[in-house]
Amino acid sequence: MPLVQMQPRPTTADPVHSTTADATDMTGPQVWHDMTVEVALSVTAAAGTGHLVLRDEDGQYVGLVTRARLAAVRDSHGYTDRIRLSDITDSAGPSVEHGGGPAVLGLAG
């Protein structure tokens, strides 16, 4: 399985996790949520996009992460090059940014 999928998936492929708001969010580069922040920043730069669509190990949509959020994590005091996208998700749910806006995020301790 490729780590980055550049084609958007159809919005009907994930009816359990998909909402109307998600349908508009599912375009753009799709990456696994265990990718490191540093690699994710490189992918957004190479793709010329402002966000990445996150997928879990089963290929299910789990949210979005913006380039600005990735840069903020990288520039934070607790950053290491081992932090993965799954480490910066909200403990209340799987989404990094879901629907219309960002979730409350922090580095896992």
Side-chain angles (χ1 to χ4, degrees), residues 18-54:
S18 184
T19 67
T20 304
D22 294 340
T24 60
D25 295 337
M26 299 198 33
T27 59
Q30 299 182 19
V31 299
W32 302 128
H33 69 116
D34 64 349
M35 178 180 283
T36 65
V37 168
E38 200 65 37
V39 172
L41 277 165
S42 295
V43 171
T44 60
T49 186
H51 72 275
L52 298 173
V53 176
L54 303 181

Side-chain angles (χ1 to χ4, degrees), residues 71-107:
V73 169
R74 184 195 57 205
D75 296 340
S76 70
H77 178 66
Y79 176 75
T80 72
D81 62 356
R82 293 186 162 192
I83 294 177
R84 299 190 179 280
L85 300 177
S86 58
D87 295 333
I88 62 171
T89 60
D90 181 11
S91 61
S95 296
V96 172
E97 294 182 13
H98 194 75
V104 177
L105 302 174
L107 297 177

